[in-house]
Amino acid sequence: MKIKIEKKSILDIESDVIIVNLFEGVKIPGGVTGIVDKAYKGIISNYVIKQEKFDGKYGNIYTLPLPKEGKKLIIAGLGKQKEFTPEKIRDLTAKIVRSIKGTKVVSILHGAGIAGLCPKTCAQMITEGALSGIYAFDKYKSEKTKNQIKEFIIAEIDDKKYKLAKEGITIGTITGEAVNQARDLINESSQYLYPETLADYAVKNSGVKTTVYDKTQIKKMGMNAFLAVGQGSIHEPKLIHMEYKPEKKAKKKIAIIGKGITFDAGGLDLKPPASMLTMRDDMSGAAAVITTMKAISELKPDAEVHAIVAACENMPSGSAYKPGDVIISKTGRTIEIDNTDAEGRVTLADALAYAEELKPDIIIDIATLTGACMVALGSVASGIMGNNEEKIKDFIEVANKAGERFWQLPMFEEYGDSLKSDIADTKNTGGRMGGASAAGIFLSKFIKNTPWIHLDIAGTAFLEQTNSEGVRNATGVGVRSLIKYITQ
Ligand code: BES
Ligand code: MN
Ligand code: ZN
């Protein structure tokens, strides 16, 4: 699907679906909706509002067939004008797009009319929403998903708004496609997606310089913790390092790390079937940083960005790492393996150490790290922790603007008590209680003094059931926040 803008009246663009909108409680629509209402002899004011009692409540969608023209008119409820936000445009557009059967859609530039929001932002939100709404993982279905929209056109006659909206569409397309690419990667079967193929994907699609290190090279770098996790699998681990450098001198240097367990069986501490079922999603962090780099290569911010993925598979086998093993990590800090299923933090320990050597201004890791975070926050918000309060607050704010919610979890030192080991510097896990924070404390020990943010997306990366926005399976969470944080 292509999203475009045309400097024409919505009535002069050929289409089979027209989308207009209505704020809650409005009886006689103004703006472009008013123009459409008049052109169709008051069908919206007299019929949809008066007779059908369409109230314009946020998220309510009224579809009206126009048999003479052979098309449909969609009136989207924007809710109360005072409560309207750009993020609502994204979710609403996604919802509308999911319900549409046509091939050519023309839409009003929601939010840029009576609401007076920035046309660029509005267009970006529509674009991201439309791309999210059309997403389907139907690669392995003989019968493809029904949504047939080929063209989605925003109509805007005002020259200034048109120009701004055009920029918004560009950013929205880059962002929305990055989210969908992450979803594709995460949804992909682990039969085909393992460290080597993930690395190949990054080389071909990250859009930036990508170096892949194999087992021998990883060993030379002293990343024994990372290697230990992957040693039970027939697939060799790969360390993926992507880098973007701006043409001008960079204003800041950011390192992002994505947890890249291409399948988490739990290792010898094998997961029960129900927990293992969706564990191909355990590389959601990796997918997020790879597709973020692709977007960065196109948006060209003036920041130097490094993305790191320590990709491996956590499997039980004769060669697997074992509970009770002691591993010497890259930093020299030794880890007693208490549970082989707490593998993400073990790989991240070395990835964090690797990232710190690059001397970035900040390190951000994103990981489907703990079931405990999922229990705490559900699929509604992701967890956030770190060693720098100011940077955490800043990230939360930026993420909110990108329409993603993060909730800070505590890092009280006591959460680390259960990690104390008799035989090594630390255990990789202690008890089940406060598990997300304990994992955060564990990670913090592998960073010396670089500002660091840890994002736990265990509960938000993958939805087993369709949510209110109609999203199921991989969500692509984190991509929008990372892109916005890096390009701000
Ligand atoms: N990949 C899992 C965390 C996870 C759980 C992600 C549910 C997505 C959904 C992680 O590697 C894991 O297994 N964590 C264990 C840690 C425990 C053994 C301390 C957990 O959370 O149960
Ligand atoms: Mn695990
Ligand atoms: Zn895992």
Side-chain angles (χ1 to χ4, degrees):
M1 178 183 58
K2 261 230 148 331
I3 295 150
K4 291 190 235 163
I5 183 158
E6 284 188 27
K7 206 157 74 183
K8 279 189 192 163
S9 158
I10 199 164
L11 296 165
D12 296 335
I13 298 170
E14 195 206 317
S15 70
D16 38 31
V17 180
I18 303 179
I19 305 168
V20 294
N21 61 37
L22 198 70
F23 275 112
E24 192 174 329
V26 171
K27 294 280 181 277
I28 298 174
V32 179
T33 306
I35 292 169
V36 174
D37 184 39
K38 284 194 192 94
Y40 289 100
K41 302 194 174 67
I43 201 163
I44 301 173
S45 48
N46 291 329
Y47 179 69
V48 180
I49 301 174
K50 219 180 208 168
Q51 280 192 40
E52 288 290 273
K53 309 245 178 297
F54 181 72
D55 52 12
K57 277 216 171 74
Y58 176 70
N60 283 357
I61 295 167
Y62 194 96
T63 307
L64 186 74
L66 303 169
K68 244 207 245 156
E69 284 85 355
K71 54 171 104 171
K72 278 181 183 153
L73 177 63
I74 290 180
I75 302 117
L78 302 183
K80 296 198 177 71
Q81 197 179 323
K82 263 197 228 144
E83 293 168 11
F84 196 59
T85 59
E87 284 70 51
K88 285 190 173 172
I89 302 175
R90 186 197 291 111
D91 295 343
L92 185 64
T93 307
K95 191 172 174 186
I96 297 168
V97 161
R98 273 185 209 107
S99 73
I100 289 176
K101 296 279 181 307
T103 59
K104 192 166 175 184
V105 179
V106 58
S107 173
I108 194 168
L109 183 57
H110 303 296
I114 298 159
L117 301 176
C118 167
K120 184 174 162 183
T121 311
C122 295
Q124 184 185 341
M125 294 300 109
I126 293 175
T127 308
E128 288 181 16
L131 287 169
S132 165
I134 202 159
Y135 181 82
F137 186 68
D138 55 8
K139 188 175 166 186
Y140 298 115
K141 297 275 280 183
S142 306
E143 207 174 303
K144 300 297 173 196
T145 315
K146 296 275 173 342
N147 206 319
Q148 298 295 330
I149 306 178
K150 294 270 175 316
E151 264 183 289
F152 189 103
I153 298 154
I154 298 172
E156 182 54 65
I157 43 170
D158 182 274
D159 191 52
K160 217 170 142 195
K161 287 184 188 172
Y162 168 85
K163 282 189 184 132
L164 285 164
K166 209 165 182 173
E167 290 172 32
I169 292 175
T170 305
I171 301 173
T173 302
I174 293 170
T175 309
E177 281 176 354
V179 173
N180 286 350
Q181 281 153 8
R183 294 168 81 178
D184 270 345
L185 264 176
I186 300 160
N187 285 327
E188 183 57 87
S189 166
S190 70
Q191 181 75 352
Y192 309 115
L193 195 106
Y194 42 87
E196 189 185 348
T197 52
L198 183 66
D200 283 346
Y201 182 93
V203 169
K204 293 199 184 91
N205 301 292
S206 69
V208 297
K209 183 185 165 195
T210 303
T211 314
V212 179
Y213 298 99
D214 65 15
K215 199 173 146 186
T216 321
Q217 292 164 307
I218 298 166
K219 193 155 185 104
K220 265 198 200 130
M221 290 184 238
M223 298 174 80
N224 299 316
F226 167 33
L227 281 181
V229 173
Q231 76 190 31
S233 169
I234 56 159
H235 297 296
E236 289 207 349
K238 300 283 175 198
L239 178 71
I240 311 166
H241 182 168
M242 295 153 271
E243 46 195 305
Y244 163 81
K245 283 189 179 132
E247 272 163 30
K248 285 190 222 136
K249 196 177 176 325
K251 290 211 176 101
K252 52 187 171 181
K253 187 167 168 181
I254 303 173
I256 54 178
I257 302 173
K259 172 173 170 181
I261 304 295
T262 57
F263 188 74
D264 181 12
L268 288 172
D269 288 311
L270 196 65
K271 283 184 184 295
S275 312
M276 205 192 294
L277 191 59
T278 57
M279 280 302 131
R280 71 176 189 281
D281 83 339
D282 217 17
M283 37 57 75
S284 297
V289 303
I290 293 169
T291 67
T292 292
M293 287 311 267
K294 166 82 177 142
I296 293 305
S297 76
E298 290 169 6
L299 292 168
K300 305 192 192 312
D302 48 15
E304 181 176 330
V305 189
H306 293 261
I308 295 127
V309 175
C312 65
E313 204 181 47
N314 187 24
M315 297 291 281
S317 80
S319 62
Y321 78 143
K322 300 174 274 304
D325 281 355
V326 174
I327 292 148
I328 307 162
S329 76
K330 181 168 168 59
T331 59
R333 206 178 158 74
T334 55
I335 306 167
E336 178 192 352
I337 300 304
D338 176 78
N339 189 317
T340 63
D341 197 12
E343 83 298 336
R345 65 195 74 181
V346 179
T347 64
L348 288 174
D350 278 350
L352 288 166
Y354 179 93
E356 195 164 26
E357 284 181 358
L358 302 169
K359 298 194 175 18
D361 300 315
I362 185 166
I363 301 174
I364 303 172
D365 79 71
I366 175 162
T368 44
L369 204 65
T370 66
C373 186
M374 181 159 75
V375 170
L377 304 174
S379 61
V380 179
S382 308
I384 183 168
M385 281 164 262
N387 60 9
N388 185 308
E389 286 301 312
E390 206 181 308
K391 292 208 155 52
I392 292 171
K393 296 256 146 52
D394 184 36
F395 189 92
I396 293 173
E397 217 171 279
V398 174
N400 279 343
K401 283 193 202 135
E404 295 185 332
R405 279 181 287 205
F406 286 84
W407 197 261
Q408 191 177 356
L409 300 173
M411 291 246 296
F412 303 124
E413 273 302 323
E414 287 87 339
Y415 285 114
D417 287 352
S418 64
L419 301 174
K420 295 213 166 90
S421 165
D422 303 331
I423 54 170
D425 297 331
T426 183
K427 289 198 291 186
N428 70 332
T429 173
R432 287 174 51 81
M433 298 299 162
S437 294
I441 296 276
F442 176 88
L443 294 179
S444 71
K445 305 290 183 204
F446 294 87
I447 296 164
K448 283 190 206 96
N449 44 30
T450 308
W452 156 74
I453 292 175
H454 161 57
L455 308 172
D456 193 334
I457 55 166
T460 49
F462 199 95
L463 307 175
E464 282 182 72
Q465 258 142 27
T466 309
N467 74 358
S468 60
E469 256 95 63
V471 178
R472 201 159 56 87
N473 296 337
T475 61
V477 71
V479 175
R480 296 201 310 251
S481 298
L482 287 172
I483 293 174
K484 196 160 179 83
Y485 186 82
I486 293 166
T487 55
Q488 72 175 342

mmCIF file of all heavy atoms in Angstrom, residues 259 261 264 266 269 271 275 278-279 281-282 314 338-345 367-374 428-432 435 456-459 461-462, ligand 1:
data_model
loop_
_atom_site.group_PDB
_atom_site.id
_atom_site.type_symbol
_atom_site.label_atom_id
_atom_site.label_comp_id
_atom_site.label_asym_id
_atom_site.label_seq_id
_atom_site.Cartn_x
_atom_site.Cartn_y
_atom_site.Cartn_z
ATOM 1 N N LYS A 259 18.013 -7.699 22.642
ATOM 2 C CA LYS A 259 18.130 -9.118 23.006
ATOM 3 C C LYS A 259 17.777 -9.952 21.783
ATOM 4 O O LYS A 259 16.713 -9.763 21.186
ATOM 5 C CB LYS A 259 17.185 -9.460 24.176
ATOM 6 C CG LYS A 259 17.095 -10.961 24.487
ATOM 7 C CD LYS A 259 16.285 -11.270 25.749
ATOM 8 C CE LYS A 259 16.018 -12.771 25.877
ATOM 9 N NZ LYS A 259 15.212 -13.112 27.062
ATOM 10 N N ILE A 261 17.594 -13.630 21.280
ATOM 11 C CA ILE A 261 17.466 -15.079 21.441
ATOM 12 C C ILE A 261 16.447 -15.528 20.394
ATOM 13 O O ILE A 261 15.254 -15.243 20.524
ATOM 14 C CB ILE A 261 16.997 -15.461 22.868
ATOM 15 C CG1 ILE A 261 17.938 -14.878 23.945
ATOM 16 C CG2 ILE A 261 16.873 -16.989 23.009
ATOM 17 C CD1 ILE A 261 19.358 -15.426 23.941
ATOM 18 N N ASP A 264 13.854 -19.339 22.633
ATOM 19 C CA ASP A 264 14.177 -19.574 24.039
ATOM 20 C C ASP A 264 13.394 -20.777 24.559
ATOM 21 O O ASP A 264 12.245 -20.650 24.987
ATOM 22 C CB ASP A 264 13.846 -18.325 24.867
ATOM 23 C CG ASP A 264 14.183 -18.498 26.337
ATOM 24 O OD1 ASP A 264 14.874 -19.485 26.678
ATOM 25 O OD2 ASP A 264 13.769 -17.644 27.144
ATOM 26 N N GLY A 266 14.445 -22.352 27.043
ATOM 27 C CA GLY A 266 14.747 -22.357 28.471
ATOM 28 C C GLY A 266 16.088 -23.029 28.751
ATOM 29 O O GLY A 266 16.652 -22.891 29.816
ATOM 30 N N ASP A 269 17.022 -25.986 31.935
ATOM 31 C CA ASP A 269 15.861 -25.625 32.764
ATOM 32 C C ASP A 269 14.700 -25.351 31.818
ATOM 33 O O ASP A 269 14.211 -24.229 31.677
ATOM 34 C CB ASP A 269 16.183 -24.400 33.618
ATOM 35 C CG ASP A 269 17.159 -24.720 34.746
ATOM 36 O OD1 ASP A 269 16.925 -25.712 35.459
ATOM 37 O OD2 ASP A 269 18.153 -23.984 34.901
ATOM 38 N N LYS A 271 11.501 -24.877 29.561
ATOM 39 C CA LYS A 271 10.212 -24.226 29.816
ATOM 40 C C LYS A 271 9.074 -25.224 29.649
ATOM 41 O O LYS A 271 9.175 -26.138 28.825
ATOM 42 C CB LYS A 271 9.988 -23.114 28.780
ATOM 43 C CG LYS A 271 10.760 -21.842 29.022
ATOM 44 C CD LYS A 271 10.370 -20.788 27.990
ATOM 45 C CE LYS A 271 11.200 -19.533 28.139
ATOM 46 N NZ LYS A 271 10.966 -18.830 29.404
ATOM 47 N N SER A 275 4.543 -21.944 28.076
ATOM 48 C CA SER A 275 5.462 -20.803 28.111
ATOM 49 C C SER A 275 6.389 -20.785 26.902
ATOM 50 O O SER A 275 6.888 -19.743 26.507
ATOM 51 C CB SER A 275 6.324 -20.831 29.367
ATOM 52 O OG SER A 275 5.550 -21.050 30.506
ATOM 53 N N THR A 278 5.443 -19.263 22.440
ATOM 54 C CA THR A 278 5.659 -18.020 21.694
ATOM 55 C C THR A 278 7.122 -17.559 21.731
ATOM 56 O O THR A 278 7.419 -16.418 21.385
ATOM 57 C CB THR A 278 4.785 -16.894 22.287
ATOM 58 O OG1 THR A 278 5.120 -16.778 23.669
ATOM 59 C CG2 THR A 278 3.315 -17.180 22.131
ATOM 60 N N MET A 279 8.011 -18.450 22.153
ATOM 61 C CA MET A 279 9.393 -18.002 22.408
ATOM 62 C C MET A 279 10.234 -17.723 21.159
ATOM 63 O O MET A 279 11.410 -17.390 21.260
ATOM 64 C CB MET A 279 10.106 -18.949 23.367
ATOM 65 C CG MET A 279 9.727 -18.679 24.817
ATOM 66 S SD MET A 279 10.106 -16.972 25.289
ATOM 67 C CE MET A 279 8.588 -16.454 26.040
ATOM 68 N N ASP A 281 9.566 -15.198 19.794
ATOM 69 C CA ASP A 281 9.522 -13.727 19.930
ATOM 70 C C ASP A 281 10.674 -13.195 20.782
ATOM 71 O O ASP A 281 10.764 -12.000 21.025
ATOM 72 C CB ASP A 281 8.187 -13.271 20.539
ATOM 73 C CG ASP A 281 8.167 -13.371 22.066
ATOM 74 O OD1 ASP A 281 8.964 -14.130 22.635
ATOM 75 O OD2 ASP A 281 7.343 -12.692 22.691
ATOM 76 N N ASP A 282 11.574 -14.090 21.233
ATOM 77 C CA ASP A 282 12.589 -13.653 22.191
ATOM 78 C C ASP A 282 13.734 -12.859 21.528
ATOM 79 O O ASP A 282 14.712 -12.512 22.172
ATOM 80 C CB ASP A 282 13.132 -14.870 22.961
ATOM 81 C CG ASP A 282 13.431 -14.540 24.419
ATOM 82 O OD1 ASP A 282 12.938 -13.511 24.904
ATOM 83 O OD2 ASP A 282 14.176 -15.311 25.058
ATOM 84 N N ASN A 314 18.620 -20.534 22.710
ATOM 85 C CA ASN A 314 18.763 -21.154 24.040
ATOM 86 C C ASN A 314 18.099 -22.527 24.046
ATOM 87 O O ASN A 314 16.884 -22.635 24.208
ATOM 88 C CB ASN A 314 18.136 -20.234 25.098
ATOM 89 C CG ASN A 314 18.382 -20.720 26.522
ATOM 90 O OD1 ASN A 314 19.346 -21.441 26.782
ATOM 91 N ND2 ASN A 314 17.514 -20.331 27.446
ATOM 92 N N ASP A 338 22.349 -20.006 37.769
ATOM 93 C CA ASP A 338 21.367 -20.525 38.714
ATOM 94 C C ASP A 338 20.217 -21.147 37.931
ATOM 95 O O ASP A 338 19.627 -22.135 38.347
ATOM 96 C CB ASP A 338 20.863 -19.360 39.573
ATOM 97 C CG ASP A 338 19.774 -19.768 40.525
ATOM 98 O OD1 ASP A 338 20.102 -20.372 41.560
ATOM 99 O OD2 ASP A 338 18.587 -19.491 40.226
ATOM 100 N N ASN A 339 19.917 -20.535 36.784
ATOM 101 C CA ASN A 339 18.822 -21.027 35.957
ATOM 102 C C ASN A 339 19.149 -20.710 34.500
ATOM 103 O O ASN A 339 19.374 -19.556 34.146
ATOM 104 C CB ASN A 339 17.520 -20.320 36.384
ATOM 105 C CG ASN A 339 16.293 -20.932 35.732
ATOM 106 O OD1 ASN A 339 16.293 -21.242 34.535
ATOM 107 N ND2 ASN A 339 15.247 -21.117 36.505
ATOM 108 N N THR A 340 19.172 -21.754 33.681
ATOM 109 C CA THR A 340 19.566 -21.541 32.274
ATOM 110 C C THR A 340 18.499 -20.774 31.492
ATOM 111 O O THR A 340 18.749 -20.327 30.381
ATOM 112 C CB THR A 340 19.841 -22.884 31.550
ATOM 113 O OG1 THR A 340 18.621 -23.643 31.535
ATOM 114 C CG2 THR A 340 20.935 -23.674 32.244
ATOM 115 N N ASP A 341 17.311 -20.660 32.088
ATOM 116 C CA ASP A 341 16.239 -19.923 31.401
ATOM 117 C C ASP A 341 16.350 -18.408 31.615
ATOM 118 O O ASP A 341 15.650 -17.636 30.988
ATOM 119 C CB ASP A 341 14.876 -20.432 31.886
ATOM 120 C CG ASP A 341 13.739 -20.029 30.953
ATOM 121 O OD1 ASP A 341 14.039 -19.563 29.830
ATOM 122 O OD2 ASP A 341 12.569 -20.180 31.355
ATOM 123 N N ALA A 342 17.235 -17.999 32.522
ATOM 124 C CA ALA A 342 17.480 -16.553 32.666
ATOM 125 C C ALA A 342 18.676 -16.216 31.777
ATOM 126 O O ALA A 342 19.711 -15.743 32.230
ATOM 127 C CB ALA A 342 17.735 -16.190 34.115
ATOM 128 N N GLU A 343 18.515 -16.510 30.485
ATOM 129 C CA GLU A 343 19.628 -16.442 29.539
ATOM 130 C C GLU A 343 19.821 -15.057 28.928
ATOM 131 O O GLU A 343 20.938 -14.687 28.581
ATOM 132 C CB GLU A 343 19.425 -17.476 28.421
ATOM 133 C CG GLU A 343 18.513 -17.032 27.262
ATOM 134 C CD GLU A 343 17.073 -16.722 27.663
ATOM 135 O OE1 GLU A 343 16.620 -17.243 28.700
ATOM 136 O OE2 GLU A 343 16.396 -15.951 26.962
ATOM 137 N N GLY A 344 18.709 -14.324 28.819
ATOM 138 C CA GLY A 344 18.787 -13.024 28.142
ATOM 139 C C GLY A 344 19.801 -12.115 28.803
ATOM 140 O O GLY A 344 20.675 -11.534 28.148
ATOM 141 N N ARG A 345 19.734 -12.038 30.128
ATOM 142 C CA ARG A 345 20.636 -11.156 30.880
ATOM 143 C C ARG A 345 22.089 -11.598 30.747
ATOM 144 O O ARG A 345 22.997 -10.780 30.815
ATOM 145 C CB ARG A 345 20.192 -11.117 32.350
ATOM 146 C CG ARG A 345 20.313 -12.425 33.055
ATOM 147 C CD ARG A 345 19.549 -12.484 34.363
ATOM 148 N NE ARG A 345 18.101 -12.593 34.168
ATOM 149 C CZ ARG A 345 17.218 -12.648 35.148
ATOM 150 N NH1 ARG A 345 17.616 -12.572 36.404
ATOM 151 N NH2 ARG A 345 15.929 -12.768 34.887
ATOM 152 N N ALA A 367 14.718 -5.594 25.540
ATOM 153 C CA ALA A 367 14.746 -7.044 25.705
ATOM 154 C C ALA A 367 13.424 -7.611 26.200
ATOM 155 O O ALA A 367 12.777 -7.035 27.073
ATOM 156 C CB ALA A 367 15.844 -7.401 26.709
ATOM 157 N N THR A 368 13.041 -8.746 25.651
ATOM 158 C CA THR A 368 11.930 -9.525 26.217
ATOM 159 C C THR A 368 12.534 -10.292 27.394
ATOM 160 O O THR A 368 12.812 -11.474 27.282
ATOM 161 C CB THR A 368 11.383 -10.510 25.167
ATOM 162 O OG1 THR A 368 12.504 -11.138 24.509
ATOM 163 C CG2 THR A 368 10.510 -9.833 24.134
ATOM 164 N N LEU A 369 12.757 -9.572 28.488
ATOM 165 C CA LEU A 369 13.643 -10.122 29.518
ATOM 166 C C LEU A 369 12.989 -10.978 30.588
ATOM 167 O O LEU A 369 13.494 -12.025 30.933
ATOM 168 C CB LEU A 369 14.468 -9.003 30.161
ATOM 169 C CG LEU A 369 15.777 -9.502 30.786
ATOM 170 C CD1 LEU A 369 16.723 -10.057 29.732
ATOM 171 C CD2 LEU A 369 16.471 -8.415 31.567
ATOM 172 N N THR A 370 11.883 -10.500 31.153
ATOM 173 C CA THR A 370 11.334 -11.256 32.296
ATOM 174 C C THR A 370 9.809 -11.444 32.264
ATOM 175 O O THR A 370 9.059 -10.506 31.972
ATOM 176 C CB THR A 370 11.670 -10.558 33.646
ATOM 177 O OG1 THR A 370 10.984 -9.300 33.711
ATOM 178 C CG2 THR A 370 13.151 -10.344 33.821
ATOM 179 N N GLY A 371 9.410 -12.648 32.598
ATOM 180 C CA GLY A 371 7.989 -12.919 32.773
ATOM 181 C C GLY A 371 7.441 -12.051 33.904
ATOM 182 O O GLY A 371 6.269 -11.666 33.903
ATOM 183 N N ALA A 372 8.313 -11.713 34.860
ATOM 184 C CA ALA A 372 7.899 -10.897 36.001
ATOM 185 C C ALA A 372 7.428 -9.509 35.554
ATOM 186 O O ALA A 372 6.471 -8.951 36.106
ATOM 187 C CB ALA A 372 9.056 -10.746 36.984
ATOM 188 N N CYS A 373 8.076 -8.969 34.530
ATOM 189 C CA CYS A 373 7.665 -7.650 34.020
ATOM 190 C C CYS A 373 6.284 -7.767 33.364
ATOM 191 O O CYS A 373 5.440 -6.888 33.498
ATOM 192 C CB CYS A 373 8.688 -7.122 33.018
ATOM 193 S SG CYS A 373 8.335 -5.438 32.477
ATOM 194 N N MET A 374 6.079 -8.896 32.691
ATOM 195 C CA MET A 374 4.788 -9.141 32.051
ATOM 196 C C MET A 374 3.688 -9.260 33.115
ATOM 197 O O MET A 374 2.593 -8.735 32.935
ATOM 198 C CB MET A 374 4.887 -10.411 31.212
ATOM 199 C CG MET A 374 3.645 -10.773 30.490
ATOM 200 S SD MET A 374 3.985 -11.849 29.103
ATOM 201 C CE MET A 374 4.290 -13.356 29.946
ATOM 202 N N ASN A 428 22.923 -15.635 38.097
ATOM 203 C CA ASN A 428 22.114 -14.958 37.075
ATOM 204 C C ASN A 428 20.665 -14.781 37.522
ATOM 205 O O ASN A 428 19.932 -13.988 36.956
ATOM 206 C CB ASN A 428 22.209 -15.663 35.708
ATOM 207 C CG ASN A 428 21.514 -17.008 35.662
ATOM 208 O OD1 ASN A 428 21.391 -17.692 36.679
ATOM 209 N ND2 ASN A 428 21.064 -17.389 34.482
ATOM 210 N N THR A 429 20.255 -15.501 38.568
ATOM 211 C CA THR A 429 18.912 -15.290 39.104
ATOM 212 C C THR A 429 18.829 -15.819 40.526
ATOM 213 O O THR A 429 19.651 -16.640 40.946
ATOM 214 C CB THR A 429 17.842 -15.969 38.214
ATOM 215 O OG1 THR A 429 16.582 -15.871 38.862
ATOM 216 C CG2 THR A 429 18.148 -17.424 37.996
ATOM 217 N N GLY A 430 17.870 -15.301 41.259
ATOM 218 C CA GLY A 430 17.683 -15.752 42.633
ATOM 219 C C GLY A 430 16.306 -16.338 42.787
ATOM 220 O O GLY A 430 16.056 -17.476 42.435
ATOM 221 N N GLY A 431 15.372 -15.535 43.225
ATOM 222 C CA GLY A 431 14.015 -16.040 43.413
ATOM 223 C C GLY A 431 13.089 -15.509 42.331
ATOM 224 O O GLY A 431 13.528 -14.830 41.406
ATOM 225 N N ARG A 432 11.833 -15.822 42.472
ATOM 226 C CA ARG A 432 10.853 -15.367 41.484
ATOM 227 C C ARG A 432 10.350 -13.957 41.788
ATOM 228 O O ARG A 432 9.870 -13.262 40.910
ATOM 229 C CB ARG A 432 9.660 -16.329 41.463
ATOM 230 C CG ARG A 432 9.973 -17.653 40.803
ATOM 231 C CD ARG A 432 8.795 -18.607 40.947
ATOM 232 N NE ARG A 432 7.530 -18.005 40.512
ATOM 233 C CZ ARG A 432 7.147 -17.913 39.241
ATOM 234 N NH1 ARG A 432 7.918 -18.365 38.293
ATOM 235 N NH2 ARG A 432 5.985 -17.369 38.932
ATOM 236 N N GLY A 435 11.241 -10.124 40.084
ATOM 237 C CA GLY A 435 12.143 -10.628 39.040
ATOM 238 C C GLY A 435 12.610 -9.603 38.012
ATOM 239 O O GLY A 435 13.740 -9.676 37.541
ATOM 240 N N ASP A 456 12.267 -3.397 29.272
ATOM 241 C CA ASP A 456 11.781 -4.781 29.327
ATOM 242 C C ASP A 456 10.437 -4.871 28.603
ATOM 243 O O ASP A 456 9.410 -4.362 29.077
ATOM 244 C CB ASP A 456 11.645 -5.239 30.795
ATOM 245 C CG ASP A 456 11.464 -6.758 30.908
ATOM 246 O OD1 ASP A 456 10.959 -7.371 29.940
ATOM 247 O OD2 ASP A 456 11.815 -7.327 31.970
ATOM 248 N N ILE A 457 10.465 -5.506 27.435
ATOM 249 C CA ILE A 457 9.265 -5.568 26.588
ATOM 250 C C ILE A 457 8.641 -6.974 26.569
ATOM 251 O O ILE A 457 7.912 -7.315 25.638
ATOM 252 C CB ILE A 457 9.569 -5.097 25.137
ATOM 253 C CG1 ILE A 457 10.742 -5.905 24.537
ATOM 254 C CG2 ILE A 457 9.896 -3.601 25.099
ATOM 255 C CD1 ILE A 457 10.876 -5.748 23.017
ATOM 256 N N ALA A 458 8.922 -7.759 27.623
ATOM 257 C CA ALA A 458 8.398 -9.140 27.648
ATOM 258 C C ALA A 458 6.871 -9.181 27.486
ATOM 259 O O ALA A 458 6.337 -10.059 26.818
ATOM 260 C CB ALA A 458 8.814 -9.831 28.934
ATOM 261 N N GLY A 459 6.182 -8.235 28.098
ATOM 262 C CA GLY A 459 4.718 -8.271 28.062
ATOM 263 C C GLY A 459 4.098 -7.583 26.855
ATOM 264 O O GLY A 459 2.919 -7.791 26.553
ATOM 265 N N ALA A 461 5.712 -7.182 23.585
ATOM 266 C CA ALA A 461 6.265 -7.493 22.264
ATOM 267 C C ALA A 461 5.370 -8.398 21.431
ATOM 268 O O ALA A 461 5.374 -8.335 20.206
ATOM 269 C CB ALA A 461 7.639 -8.146 22.416
ATOM 270 N N PHE A 462 4.594 -9.215 22.111
ATOM 271 C CA PHE A 462 3.850 -10.256 21.407
ATOM 272 C C PHE A 462 2.520 -10.482 22.099
ATOM 273 O O PHE A 462 2.481 -10.724 23.306
ATOM 274 C CB PHE A 462 4.689 -11.542 21.431
ATOM 275 C CG PHE A 462 4.312 -12.558 20.401
ATOM 276 C CD1 PHE A 462 4.981 -12.601 19.182
ATOM 277 C CD2 PHE A 462 3.305 -13.479 20.649
ATOM 278 C CE1 PHE A 462 4.644 -13.558 18.227
ATOM 279 C CE2 PHE A 462 2.969 -14.433 19.697
ATOM 280 C CZ PHE A 462 3.651 -14.478 18.481
HETATM 281 N N1 BES B 1 12.382 -14.816 27.414
HETATM 282 C C1 BES B 1 12.015 -15.010 28.764
HETATM 283 C C2 BES B 1 11.112 -13.900 29.297
HETATM 284 C C3 BES B 1 9.742 -13.827 28.696
HETATM 285 C C4 BES B 1 8.672 -14.389 29.335
HETATM 286 C C5 BES B 1 9.522 -13.107 27.537
HETATM 287 C C6 BES B 1 7.411 -14.288 28.791
HETATM 288 C C7 BES B 1 8.271 -13.004 26.978
HETATM 289 C C8 BES B 1 7.208 -13.602 27.627
HETATM 290 C C9 BES B 1 13.263 -15.043 29.642
HETATM 291 O O1 BES B 1 14.406 -15.534 29.037
HETATM 292 C C10 BES B 1 12.962 -15.957 30.769
HETATM 293 O O2 BES B 1 12.779 -17.110 30.531
HETATM 294 N N2 BES B 1 12.931 -15.418 31.977
HETATM 295 C C11 BES B 1 12.635 -16.174 33.123
HETATM 296 C C12 BES B 1 13.627 -15.816 34.186
HETATM 297 C C13 BES B 1 13.550 -16.695 35.395
HETATM 298 C C14 BES B 1 14.088 -18.059 35.086
HETATM 299 C C15 BES B 1 14.318 -16.042 36.489
HETATM 300 C C16 BES B 1 11.225 -15.806 33.576
HETATM 301 O O3 BES B 1 10.870 -14.648 33.504
HETATM 302 O O4 BES B 1 10.483 -16.718 33.921
#
